[in-house]
Amino acid sequence: MLVRAITAPGLRRWCRSRRGAAAACFPLGRALLGVRGAEAAVFLQGLLTNDVTQLVAAGDAPPALYAHALNVQGRCLYDVILYRLHGSTAEEPHILLECDSSVLDSIQKHLKLYKIRRKVTITPCPDLSLWAVIPGEQPGDASSLPKSADRAVLLTPDPRAEVMGWRLIAKKGANLSEIIPGSQVGDVQDYHRHRYKQGIPEGVKDLPPGVALPLESNLAFMNGISFTKGCYIGQELTARTHHMGVIRKRLLPVRFPAPLPSPGVPEGAEILTESGKPAGKFRAGGGELGIALLRLAHVNEPLCINLAGDRVKLSATTPEWWPKAAAK
C-alpha cells in the first residue's frame, strides 16, 4: 500500500478533543503527489521556502508543513502543503505534496526538471482524497472509535493557522462519518468563504503564479518559510525583503455590503480609496467575501471598486489570528 493509515489511538485522541462539537468536512479540489525516496527531503529543500528536513528529522517531527515554490525572481509559483507519511527515520522518506489541481502537470514538470539523478520518485495519488475539517459548535457524537480507521491516511492540524482546523487525507470513497464520528460533509463554497473571512490564500486565483510575492502573501504569518534553512530558488529577494523589515502591501480579507451579482468582481480589479487613490488589487472571492492585496496605509479607509460603471464600496479587516503588530 502506498500510504500509512493513521492509528486508532491517534483518532481517539482527536475525537476526545472535539467532543461536544460537530465538524464539517469539505472535499477539496486539490491534488496530491507522492515524493518518495532516500533524497526526497533534500530534493524538496532546494525548491521550497520552508525547512523540509524537519519532516525527516529524528524525534518529534511535524506531520505537515506549509510552503511556496518560487521562481528565480522570488515570486510564488505554487502554494503547497507537505505531509509526512513515513513513521520513523528508519523508514524510507515518504512525503505527500498537496497543490492546486489545475497546476498538477506543471508542478510535476517543475519537480522533474530539478530531480536530475536524485533517488526520488514523483507520482500522482489519484486513489486518495483530501478534506478540510473545520470544527463546529453544534453537539456531535465523537465518543466512539471510527469503524474504518484503516481508511484514514492522515489527520493533522492545518499547518497554516489554527483557524483553518484540520487536514484529512483518506482513501477515495471512504465514509467520513466513520472516520470522524458526528461529522457532516459540507459545501466546499462554505470552506472558501471561511478562508476568505480569515484571509487565508489558497491556489492560483489567490496567489497568481509569477505575480504573488511570498511575504506580501503572509507566508511568514502562516508558518510557511524558514529564514535560516539556507539556499532555495527565489530566496534572495525574499530574504532581502525580510531583513529590510518593510512590507507595504499584504493580502487581507475584504467584504462587500451585499453579495455581488454574477459574474462578480474580475480578478485583478483595481481597488481605490474614496478619494480615488490606488489602494490595491482584488484577487478572488465569493458572495460578499473576498481576498485582496492592499496597501497597509489604506486598510482602515473607505474603499471602493468600479464595477460595471458603478462604484461599489468594500471594507478590509486585519485577521485576529495575525501577530498583534503585523499591520503596523
Side-chain angles (χ1 to χ4, degrees):
M1 200 175 100
L2 175 67
V3 294
R4 175 179 298 276
I6 191 169
T7 62
L11 282 166
R12 181 187 290 114
R13 286 193 296 272
W14 188 87
C15 291
R16 189 182 300 129
S17 71
R18 295 308 313 153
R19 186 167 295 156
C25 299
F26 300 99
L28 301 180
R30 305 269 286 175
L32 292 166
L33 278 174
V35 182
R36 191 168 193 168
E39 297 180 290
V42 175
F43 164 59
L44 292 172
Q45 181 79 341
L47 300 177
L48 299 176
T49 56
N50 215 335
D51 185 359
V52 185
T53 61
Q54 295 178 74
L55 294 176
V56 293
D60 191 19
L65 287 176
Y66 179 58
H68 285 185
L70 309 181
N71 63 16
V72 292
Q73 289 80 31
R75 295 180 182 270
C76 177
L77 287 177
Y78 315 105
D79 64 305
V80 302
I81 298 179
L82 305 175
Y83 304 95
R84 174 177 53 85
L85 294 185
H86 54 277
S88 70
T89 54
E91 297 180 46
E92 180 183 66
H94 187 186
I95 297 168
L96 274 187
L97 183 150
E98 171 196 329
C99 65
D100 190 310
S101 58
S102 69
V103 298
L104 178 60
D105 289 343
S106 60
I107 198 170
Q108 286 185 85
K109 292 176 183 176
H110 180 75
L111 294 175
K112 289 176 181 178
L113 176 66
Y114 292 97
K115 178 176 174 286
I116 312 176
R117 295 184 180 85
R118 291 197 180 277
K119 298 177 181 178
V120 174
T121 59
I122 303 165
T123 54
C125 303
D127 57 326
L128 300 178
S129 59
L130 179 69
W131 300 76
V133 182
I134 306 296
E137 298 178 356
Q138 299 301 318
D141 179 14
S143 58
S144 61
L145 270 178
K147 299 175 182 178
S148 301
D150 63 322
R151 293 193 179 188
V153 176
L154 188 70
L155 180 61
T156 180
D158 190 309
R160 298 172 295 182
E162 186 177 354
V163 293
M164 290 307 297
W166 295 65
R167 259 348 199 218
L168 168 67
I169 300 173
K171 298 175 184 176
K172 278 280 176 68
N175 188 330
L176 271 292
S177 64
E178 293 180 348
I179 296 176
I180 304 177
S183 65
Q184 297 179 345
V185 176
D187 185 337
V188 71
Q189 294 306 317
D190 290 335
Y191 165 76
H192 292 307
R193 286 175 54 83
H194 177 72
R195 281 201 306 105
Y196 293 137
K197 190 180 296 185
Q198 301 297 338
I200 301 285
E202 185 176 286
V204 296
K205 289 186 177 181
D206 300 348
L207 300 164
V211 175
L213 288 167
L215 297 185
E216 289 183 351
S217 304
N218 306 320
L219 186 64
F221 295 171
M222 295 186 289
N223 312 302
I225 188 167
S226 168
F227 295 108
T228 60
K229 62 171 280 186
C231 296
Y232 57 89
I233 294 174
Q235 178 203 18
E236 185 177 349
L237 175 62
T238 306
R240 186 166 66 245
T241 303
H242 169 69
H243 291 301
M244 287 175 63
V246 179
I247 300 173
R248 294 185 172 87
K249 295 183 288 185
R250 287 192 181 274
L251 280 182
L252 288 159
V254 294
R255 180 184 289 269
F256 296 90
L260 298 173
S262 183
V265 181
E267 295 167 21
E270 188 170 36
I271 297 174
L272 305 170
T273 66
E274 201 169 37
S275 62
K277 293 181 180 179
K281 302 282 187 180
F282 184 81
R283 283 283 174 80
E288 76 280 14
L289 299 173
I291 193 167
L293 182 68
L294 295 172
R295 296 182 183 277
L296 294 177
H298 300 308
V299 167
N300 297 318
E301 298 180 29
L303 302 172
C304 63
I305 196 165
N306 290 324
L307 188 61
D310 294 327
R311 179 167 283 197
V312 179
K313 294 182 179 180
L314 70 153
S315 59
T317 55
T318 301
E320 292 185 2
W321 59 269
W322 276 19
K324 296 301 181 184
K328 295 182 179 179

